[in-house]
Amino acid sequence: MLWSSALETGIKLIDEQHKQLFDKADELLEANGDDKIKKILDFLASYVAKHFSDEQKLHLSVNYPKAPTHRGYHDEYIKTFKTFKEGYEKEGPTLANKIAANKIIVGWLRDHIMVHDKEFTRYYREHTPQK
Ligand SMILES: [Fe+2]
């Protein structure tokens, strides 16, 4: 399990999507067959895009001042992921690609969540009425 409760933001939708991303990264690291790998990478590409778009909608819903900067990190990541995906599909689960998967998916997500998503969710909580 690559996800840990330290990564929790307290926003259910975001936490569930983050967990799903870590689960898929885990599956990718275990996968060896080309078809299986392609399926997981395709899933990740579209799920990442959906997740970022959901997060950005939340940013806008509370007029988050750092929304454009945060969006910039997402856009940059989509490019990085695309290059990584192409390499993985071409070369397969080599050690170098597995290390890249660990860094680009797991490492990036962890750092991004701990700093930028948590910064946003603090803002979100301060600007939405709490139950
Ligand atoms: Fe984000």
Side-chain angles (χ1 to χ4, degrees):
M1 178 67 157
L2 299 167
W3 191 86
S4 85
S5 58
L7 294 163
E8 218 156 70
T9 67
I11 299 179
K12 206 173 158 231
L13 173 78
I14 293 194
D15 287 337
E16 277 169 4
Q17 292 180 343
H18 285 159
K19 273 186 207 162
Q20 173 76 273
L21 288 169
F22 282 107
D23 279 355
K24 280 288 159 181
D26 211 4
E27 268 184 46
L28 179 65
L29 292 168
E30 300 292 319
N32 285 307
D34 285 353
D35 287 355
K36 177 101 183 132
I37 287 169
K38 170 109 181 75
K39 232 173 126 185
I40 298 169
L41 288 169
D42 285 345
F43 175 90
L44 274 168
S46 62
Y47 200 80
V48 160
K50 183 198 164 13
H51 167 60
F52 286 171
S53 143
D54 285 347
E55 245 185 49
Q56 286 159 200
K57 276 183 210 148
L58 272 181
H59 295 168
L60 299 179
S61 76
V62 288
N63 295 314
Y64 183 46
K66 291 194 174 173
T69 321
H70 198 134
R71 193 198 167 121
Y73 301 136
H74 288 169
D75 290 349
E76 196 54 45
Y77 184 75
I78 285 182
K79 284 187 222 152
T80 307
F81 185 84
K82 191 172 178 275
T83 310
F84 156 77
K85 182 178 186 283
E86 283 163 6
Y88 211 115
E89 282 170 358
K90 212 168 123 209
E91 296 148 15
T94 59
L95 180 61
N97 279 334
K98 289 206 176 195
I99 292 170
N102 201 45
K103 187 170 157 243
I104 290 166
I105 310 173
V106 182
W108 186 90
L109 259 178
R110 273 192 191 135
D111 292 348
H112 180 82
I113 294 170
M114 290 308 281
V115 179
H116 304 295
D117 288 344
K118 289 211 176 200
E119 189 181 7
F120 163 67
T121 48
R122 270 194 304 275
Y123 179 94
Y124 183 83
R125 272 192 300 275
E126 285 163 15
H127 292 80
T128 14
Q130 298 297 304
K131 283 175 226 155

